[in-house]
Amino acid sequence: MMSSTIVVAHDGSDSAERAMAFAVDRAKAIGGSIIVAHVLEWSPYSFLTPAELEERHVRRKQELERAETALLGPVLKAHAQSGVPVSSEIRYGHVTETLLKIAKDADAIQIVIGRKGAGSFADRFFGSVAGSLVQTCPVPLTIVP
């Protein structure tokens, strides 16, 4: 049986909320489920001392807890009565690669993201998450304005 899971990238922005609303409507229409994904970027510094690594580990744990309680918890609560099964995933990594991994692991049929606007010069020069996903996404990608 084919999966009907939709992955929604969520960063707490208004555009992410619009993406979530779009995905809930789509999931209702197909009898699907949603994984709300939040990716925390984290650079794996290998030249830190053991004390610095321990401090980073503590900060990482605190950051995960904050993302769960302040960001994803309220999203799950807001959509609990939608009739759509909604779960969450928080991972560390490169945003685009990690979203693709979450979608692959879930055998997702679609990824939905919000568009934040024109973006900064750095986004245009180095590529935004949306731009990277457009080029690499193996499933349908919806960018919600």
Side-chain angles (χ1 to χ4, degrees), residues 7 63 108 142:
V7 172
E63 198 171 31
T142 301

Side-chain angles (χ1 to χ4, degrees), residues 11-144:
D11 62 1
S13 66
D14 290 343
S15 61
E17 282 299 323
R18 290 190 298 276
M20 186 68 187
F22 174 88
V24 167
D25 288 345
R26 172 109 170 92
K28 281 182 185 177
I30 65 170
S33 62
I34 293 174
I35 296 173
V36 185
H38 182 70
V39 180
L40 298 163
E41 291 203 80
W42 191 265
S43 57
Y45 295 122
S46 58
F47 52 84
L48 299 176
T49 67
E52 289 169 327
L53 286 172
E54 179 58 30
E55 181 183 318
R56 278 176 58 98
H57 177 72
V58 170
R59 282 195 322 249
R60 182 177 176 167
K61 185 176 178 189
Q62 291 169 339
E63 198 171 31
L64 284 168
E65 289 170 358
R66 271 194 310 272
E68 183 66 40
T69 57
L71 180 74
L72 294 186
V75 171
L76 294 177
K77 185 176 180 183
H79 295 283
Q81 303 302 317
S82 68
V84 173
V86 180
S87 61
S88 65
E89 285 250 2
I90 302 173
R91 294 193 192 172
Y92 274 96
H94 179 273
V95 176
T96 301
E97 292 171 8
T98 306
L99 287 172
L100 292 173
K101 175 100 172 89
I102 290 168
K104 181 181 179 195
D105 291 350
D107 196 24
I109 61 166
Q110 182 176 13
I111 296 176
V112 178
I113 64 169
R115 181 178 56 95
K116 290 189 177 185
S120 68
F121 174 76
D123 284 346
R124 289 191 299 277
F125 186 76
F126 295 110
S128 67
V129 171
S132 296
L133 283 171
V134 164
Q135 295 176 34
T136 59
C137 195
V139 296
L141 171 68
T142 301
I143 301 170
V144 178

